[in-house]
Amino acid sequence: MNALLKQTLAGLRVLLVFTVLLGVVYPLGVWAVSRIPGLQGNAEGSIITRDGQAVGSSLIGVDPVAADPAKDPWFHHRPSAGSKDVLGPGDPSSSGASNKGPYNEDLVAAIGERKKLIAAREGVQESQVPADAVTTSGSGMDPAISVAYADLQIPRVARNTGLSEEKVRQLVAENTGGAGIGAPGVTVLKVNLAVRDAAGGAH
């Protein structure tokens, strides 16, 4: 009986120690590290704010919806496999890849349809539409697009905001960095906010 009691007490002590270590000390330690200047923004989700209001995250791409599709003033993200619409916008709560191979008939058809829609939207030939404009990423929520896809959208954005193409190109350059995979990428949310500010916030 004494042996059983000793084992029970020893087990309770271990449980108490690990509860304190893993349930209190470790979470507090992680939280304290996340408060270090330079890490806090990342720990909070890299939220971008305007006028004290959260407008999105620099890590998550959510395609903007134009109030008037005929006068679409926004740069667009890559399409999302989780979207019901072939071009998006995606749903951040259900991100993910389609897991379809390159020869999957549905995927090939979707890419073909996206290419036609984007070419018509941008007023270019289908051959000018870059690959990342018509293919989804592993997450479906990439925050950045290729410089080529951003360049393709510049004339439309300039036309529908009243800004010059030179000005829009400058804003794209200012929001181009190492966000792409293996190449510079343009952070869509940031460039859209810059375009909106430059255009007087009317869009």
Side-chain angles (χ1 to χ4, degrees):
M1 191 67 178
N2 287 338
L4 179 60
L5 181 60
K6 288 181 180 179
Q7 290 178 354
T8 300
L9 291 175
L12 288 174
R13 284 195 296 270
V14 170
L15 175 63
L16 180 61
V17 168
F18 277 100
T19 297
V20 172
L21 285 176
L22 302 179
V24 179
V25 176
Y26 177 73
L28 284 176
V30 171
W31 178 84
V33 170
S34 74
R35 301 301 97 185
I36 295 174
L39 297 180
Q40 187 170 353
N42 293 337
E44 296 296 335
S46 299
I47 301 299
I48 297 175
T49 61
R50 282 293 184 278
D51 301 321
Q53 297 293 320
V55 295
S57 168
S58 63
L59 302 177
I60 301 174
V62 180
D63 208 51
V65 178
D68 181 359
K71 296 181 179 180
D72 182 1
W74 304 120
F75 283 91
H76 290 280
H77 289 271
R78 297 177 67 178
S80 171
S83 171
K84 295 179 181 178
D85 189 308
V86 70
L87 286 181
D91 179 2
S93 67
S94 60
S95 66
S98 68
N99 293 324
K100 295 176 180 176
Y103 301 107
N104 179 276
E105 292 182 4
D106 292 338
L107 178 61
V108 172
I111 288 174
E113 185 178 355
R114 289 169 187 152
K115 189 171 290 188
K116 289 179 181 178
L117 290 172
I118 292 173
R121 185 184 72 198
E122 307 302 339
V124 299
Q125 298 295 318
E126 290 183 27
S127 60
Q128 294 176 264
V129 178
D132 70 311
V134 296
T135 56
T136 64
S137 65
S139 69
M141 292 293 151
D142 278 4
I145 56 176
S146 68
V147 174
Y149 189 22
D151 286 345
L152 186 75
Q153 301 182 68
I154 286 174
R156 171 182 53 78
V157 171
R159 183 173 62 251
N160 292 329
T161 58
L163 298 172
S164 68
E165 287 192 25
E166 181 181 358
K167 178 61 178 178
V168 177
R169 200 171 299 280
Q170 175 192 337
L171 297 175
V172 167
E174 290 172 356
N175 289 281
T176 299
I181 299 176
V186 181
T187 305
V188 177
L189 176 58
K190 290 183 178 179
V191 76
N192 277 336
L193 290 172
V195 166
R196 186 190 67 178
D197 292 344
H203 299 280

